[in-house]
């Protein structure tokens, strides 16, 4: 129950945040909620370590086995602590960052909603609950990225993030449902790898889940939305891109690793995607000048590193991944916040316009230095322990996967170090900035300094987290107990040598970055170069052009054209299905009785009269004869209730048609002969196709007729003797409701059009 209350507390604070007046204490007051959640989660660590995680559930859709279920195991607690802890610091930072600006309450309220959604993702133990929370993060992140909605850049970035992650979310929904079918349960903690592997649905589920995870965690080729999301205010970037949204995909991979990790395609796909993302993110970061975009691309690289480690899947690799998740959240959160502080203190985030800031902004310099060391992963910082463990995992891995992993780690380590050097460049040299630089306020500095101190403190005393936090999280990702021992200093070994070499190369690359990146910058800037943003624009604007063409071609305001398109499409689909079926229409024909022939003749005569008559009323009356003839056929073939319903509907239809057509002008001509021939051909084609479909359906029944089920259960279950009425209002009640809504909406539309017409008069 405590988990549900914690989530309810976060969501319940959202309206409070929006309503509180804009005072300096508002951010700190709101931060008490996630801080309280953080403390509560700390109390659950012992249970998770002892293999008795706290769980809570309530039935949601019991008929389908779906429940609102939460579970606080080691993996969920690691991410939950980061979400709540960094969330509290970000709220304090956001209040200082937005001081004096409109919309601060709205921003903090949306941050809290996003925080609640992320907590829902990591604690969900039901795939449907997980998906609902997952999509809620997409919606709230859209609101956060587009916070400055008056800026076109922010709106475009928000739409881009929503489309990419939303498309991945659709794939994830299908993947989770298929996975639940393969596993025989929607409860994640009850899924067994053996049952999933034995199912023919396993590989399909794996591909769909990977698509969802890769889009959310910005893996190549879906990585471009993350740098674009830097259009959001800095508190949003610090929160979404350090501890939360982008790590949701990594969390999902780790969560499902015990279930899908044994499938043949899982490890190659996850490892390759991670290694490619690591290299691309680290390389492109060197080409950026904007501090936030530099950090965004290094985040892409870090997400690739985490994905690659999960793909390797060994105990050492998963341990390294868990350590690096914490280390990355600490240093990246600090660096994003300091980027905003520098922007506040100087008026720009562009590295080339800044210099000599360390004297005017000493506290900011200290936080950036700690973050840059964390980014390089070499020194007394937690990320160093994670990077060393990652290198050891790569060296331990046999074959090409290990070699590629080590190569990717060494190269990316150099590039991350170079990016760290670039980040420190504004603090050295002659002082220069758009205006006189000044230090940030306490609210701006508290977050980065606390995170920087934690990064160093946990590196110096890793025993604080190794048994309580890292080991249970790694065990949950591995699906079995994992022994964890963390040390800052492992002595001189191969991993340390590789790490030192990569850092030395990175320092040189960072100092010479402007010259080194000039040729590749020209290449990436070429018009033909297929970068992620360009491919997205080609697809996005291509779809818009296709939609315009389709609209111009189809939406001509000609009702006959619409009806013809619908009918011909139906004919093509039905004909394709019949051809694929390839069955025979042979059946035993019996001589029709006299009254049957009369009913059929009535229908044919009515249809013919409706076509040839020039009077609308006469045509409507002829159509009524068709309907009554069909009602007679129903009655003759054992459907008296259906016949009564048909008679009622025909009577109402004829009355309505008469009322409407009475006011229409008389028909004076039939239209040109070619058009009538075309319409006749369409009508004949539709009639023949539907006749063939009916004959095929009647001649090839595979099971019991459903009419028997309705007849037997209509009164027993729905207490109705008229089977047709019971079907309409009970068995398919939602369909009927939908039809009523459609008709009601159409009636409102007609009423609105009539009012417009009167206004024009």
């Amino acid at each position: 129950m405590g988990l549900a209350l914690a989530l309810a507390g976060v969501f319940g604070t959202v309206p409070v945040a929006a309503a509180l007046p804009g005072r300096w204490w508002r951010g700190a007051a709101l931060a008490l909620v996630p801080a309280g959640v953080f403390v509560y989660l700390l109390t659950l660590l012992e249970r998770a370590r002892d293999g008795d995680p706290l769980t809570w559930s309530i039935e949601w859709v019991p008929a389908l086995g779906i429940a609102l279920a939460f579970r606080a195991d080691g993996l969920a607690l690691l991410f939950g602590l980061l979400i709540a802890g960094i969330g509290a610091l970000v709220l304090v930072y956001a209040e200082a960052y937005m001081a004096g600006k409109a919309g601060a309450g709205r921003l903090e309220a949306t941050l809290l909603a996003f925080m609640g959604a992320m907590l829902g993702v990591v604690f969900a133990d039901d795939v449907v609950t997980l998906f609902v929370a997952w999509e809620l993060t997409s919606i709230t992140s859209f609101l956060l990225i587009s916070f400055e909605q008056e800026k076109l850049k922010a709106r475009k970035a928000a739409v881009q993030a929503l489309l990419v992650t939303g498309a991945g979310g659709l794939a994830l929904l299908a993947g989770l449902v298929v996975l639940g079918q393969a596993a025989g349960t929607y409860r994640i903690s009850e899924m067994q790898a053996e049952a999933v592997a034995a199912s023919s649905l396993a590989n399909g589920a794996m591909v769909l889940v990977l698509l969802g995870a890769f889009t959310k965690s910005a893996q190549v080729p879906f990585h471009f939305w993350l740098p674009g999301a830097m259009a959001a205010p800095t508190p949003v970037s610090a929160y979404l891109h350090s501890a939360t949204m982008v790590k949701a995909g990594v969390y999902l991979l780790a969560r499902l690793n015990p279930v899908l990790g044994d499938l043949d395609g899982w490890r190659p796909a996850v490892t390759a995607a991670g290694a490619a993302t690591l290299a691309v993110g680290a390389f492109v970061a060197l080409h950026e000048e904007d501090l936030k975009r530099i950090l965004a691309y290094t985040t892409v690289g870090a997400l690739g590193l985490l994905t690659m480690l999960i793909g390797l899947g060994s105990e050492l690799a998963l341990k390294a991944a868990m350590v690096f998740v914490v280390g990355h959240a600490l240093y990246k959160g600090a660096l994003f916040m300091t980027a905003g502080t520098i922007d506040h203190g100087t008026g720009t985030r562009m590295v080339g316009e800044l210099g000599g800031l360390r004297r005017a902004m000493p506290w900011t310099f200290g936080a950036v230095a700690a973050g840059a060391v964390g980014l390089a992963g070499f020194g007394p910082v937690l990320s160093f322990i994670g990077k060393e463990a990652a290198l050891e995992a790569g060296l331990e891995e046999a074959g090409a996967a290990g070699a590629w992993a080590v190569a990717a780690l060494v190269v990316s380590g150099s590039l991350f170090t170079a990016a760290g050097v670039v980040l420190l460049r504004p603090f050295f040299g002659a002082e220069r900035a758009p205006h006189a630089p000044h230090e940030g306020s306490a609210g701006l500095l508290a977050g980065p300094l606390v995170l920087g101190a934690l990064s160093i403190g946990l590196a110096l005393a890793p025993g604080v987290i190794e048994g309580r936090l890292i080991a249970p999280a790694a065990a949950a990702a591995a699906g079995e107990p994992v022994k964890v021992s963390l040390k800052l200093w492992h002595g001189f070994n191969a991993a340390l040598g590789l790490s030192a070499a990569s850092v030395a190369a990175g320092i040189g690359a960072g100092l010479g970055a402007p010259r080194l990146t000039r040729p590749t910058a020209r290449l990436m800037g070429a018009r033909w170069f297929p970068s992620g943003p360009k491919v997205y624009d080609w697809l996005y604007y291509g779809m818009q052009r296709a939609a315009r063409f389709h609209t111009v071609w189809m939406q001509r305001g000609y009702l006959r054209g619409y009806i013809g398109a619908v009918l011909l499409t139906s004919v093509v689909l039905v004909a394709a299905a019949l051809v694929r079926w390839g069955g025979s229409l042979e059946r035993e024909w019996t001589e029709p009785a006299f009254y049957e022939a009369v009913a059929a003749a009535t229908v044919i005569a009515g249809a013919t009269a409706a076509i040839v008559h020039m009077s609308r009323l006469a045509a409507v009356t002829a159509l009524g004869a068709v309907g009554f003839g069909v009602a007679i056929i129903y009655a003759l073939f054992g459907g008296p209730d259906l016949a009564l319903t048909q008679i009622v509907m025909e009577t109402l239809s004829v009355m309505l048609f008469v009322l409407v057509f009475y006011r229409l002008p008389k028909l004076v001509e039939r239209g040109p002969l070619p058009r009538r021939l075309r319409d006749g051909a369409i009508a004949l084609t539709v009639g023949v196709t539907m006749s063939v479909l009916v004959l095929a359906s009647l001649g090839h029944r595979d099971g019991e007729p459903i009419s028997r089920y309705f007849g037997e259960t209509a009164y027993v279950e729905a207490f109705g003797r008229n089977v047709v009425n019971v079907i309409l209002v009970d068995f398919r009640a939602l369909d009927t409701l939908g039809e009523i809504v459609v008709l009601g909406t159409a009636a409102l539309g007609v009423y609105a059009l009539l009012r417009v017409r009167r206004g024009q008069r």
Side-chain angles (χ1 to χ4, degrees), residues 469-543:
L469 190 62
I470 302 300
E480 57 187 14
V482 174
K483 186 178 180 181
V484 174
S485 176
L486 301 179
K487 292 180 182 177
L488 180 62
W489 176 250
H490 286 77
F492 294 100
N493 54 24
L496 181 66
L498 289 170
S499 188
S502 70
V503 168
I507 292 174
L511 293 175
R515 281 173 301 161
L516 292 173
T517 58
R518 201 168 297 145
T520 49
R522 279 200 297 270
L523 175 66
M524 290 191 294
R527 187 181 180 85
W528 54 266
F529 188 80
S531 62
K534 289 178 186 172
V535 173
Y536 169 81
D537 285 344
W538 293 340
L539 293 174
Y540 181 71
Y541 293 110
M543 282 193 295

Side-chain angles (χ1 to χ4, degrees), residues 283-609:
F283 177 72
V284 179
L286 283 182
H287 296 73
E288 296 291 341
E289 278 284 309
D290 187 326
L291 287 171
K292 284 179 65 176
R293 289 185 64 85
I294 294 172
L295 294 173
Y297 275 108
T298 58
T299 299
V300 170
L303 294 170
L305 169 60
L306 291 169
T307 302
M308 186 184 73
L309 291 172
I310 294 172
L312 292 177
S314 65
E315 285 191 6
L316 194 54
L318 293 174
K319 182 189 79 172
M322 297 304 114
V323 175
F324 198 78
V325 163
V326 181
H328 175 260
L330 296 178
Y331 79 72
K332 192 53 66 69
L335 286 174
F336 267 117
M337 290 189 213
T338 52
T341 306
I342 292 172
D343 194 9
H344 253 244
T346 65
T348 184
R349 302 192 307 257
M350 305 306 291
V351 173
E353 300 175 14
L354 297 170
L357 300 181
R358 66 183 186 282
R359 286 178 292 275
M361 307 179 74
W363 292 104
T364 304
F365 171 59
V368 172
V373 173
L375 181 61
F378 196 80
V381 288
L382 188 61
S383 60
F384 171 69
I385 299 177
K387 184 181 173 184
E388 292 291 286
L391 280 168
E392 290 175 5
L395 292 170
E396 179 191 72
E397 188 76 19
W404 279 107
V406 171
L409 283 165
V410 172
V411 173
S412 62
S414 301
L415 298 173
F416 281 164
T417 304
V421 172
V422 173
L423 290 174
L424 285 170
R425 204 188 304 156
F427 293 92
F428 294 93
E431 183 175 302
R432 55 195 172 92
H435 61 68
H438 61 83
E439 187 56 279
S441 64
L444 291 174
L445 292 172
L449 289 176
V450 168
L451 294 176
L454 280 173
S455 178
I456 297 171
L458 291 177
L460 297 175
V464 174
I465 58 172
E466 67 178 12
R468 296 180 181 85
L469 190 62
I470 302 300
E480 57 187 14
V482 174
K483 186 178 180 181
V484 174
S485 176
L486 301 179
K487 292 180 182 177
L488 180 62
W489 176 250
H490 286 77
F492 294 100
N493 54 24
L496 181 66
L498 289 170
S499 188
S502 70
V503 168
I507 292 174
L511 293 175
R515 281 173 301 161
L516 292 173
T517 58
R518 201 168 297 145
T520 49
R522 279 200 297 270
L523 175 66
M524 290 191 294
R527 187 181 180 85
W528 54 266
F529 188 80
S531 62
K534 289 178 186 172
V535 173
Y536 169 81
D537 285 344
W538 293 340
L539 293 174
Y540 181 71
Y541 293 110
M543 282 193 295
Q544 288 193 349
R545 284 192 289 272
R548 278 197 294 272
F549 171 77
H550 176 267
T551 302
V552 170
W553 186 63
M554 290 291 295
Q555 303 296 325
R556 300 181 179 181
Y558 186 54
L559 184 59
R560 290 184 183 179
Y562 301 154
I563 295 174
V566 171
L567 292 176
L568 288 177
T569 302
S570 302
V571 166
V572 170
L573 294 176
V574 171
L578 289 171
V579 170
R580 186 180 178 187
W581 168 62
S584 171
L585 299 179
E586 293 182 5
R587 57 181 290 120
E588 294 183 3
W589 298 94
T590 57
E591 196 70 27
F594 173 73
Y595 48 85
E596 294 172 348
V598 170
T602 303
V603 172
I604 294 171
T608 306

Side-chain angles (χ1 to χ4, degrees), residues 733-758:
L734 283 179
D735 288 346
T736 305
L737 178 64
E739 292 168 357
I740 292 172
V741 171
V742 170
L743 289 174
T745 306
L748 289 173
V750 171
Y751 178 70
L753 288 173
L754 291 174
R755 288 183 63 84
V756 170
R757 184 70 181 269
R758 287 186 190 133

Side-chain angles (χ1 to χ4, degrees), residues 113-147:
F114 178 81
M115 186 186 304
M118 276 304 304
L119 289 172
V121 168
V122 300
F123 286 113
D125 192 30
D126 180 278
V127 294
V128 178
T129 306
L130 186 150
F131 176 75
V132 171
W134 181 281
E135 286 303 287
L136 193 53
T137 64
S138 296
I139 295 170
T140 49
S141 66
F142 170 80
L143 298 175
L144 288 169
I145 296 170
S146 63
F147 177 76

Side-chain angles (χ1 to χ4, degrees), residues 6-7 9-10 32-42 80-81 84 119 123:
L7 287 170
V10 174
L32 291 175
V33 176
V37 174
F38 180 84
V39 173
Y40 170 69
L41 296 181
L42 285 177
L81 286 168
L119 289 172
F123 286 113

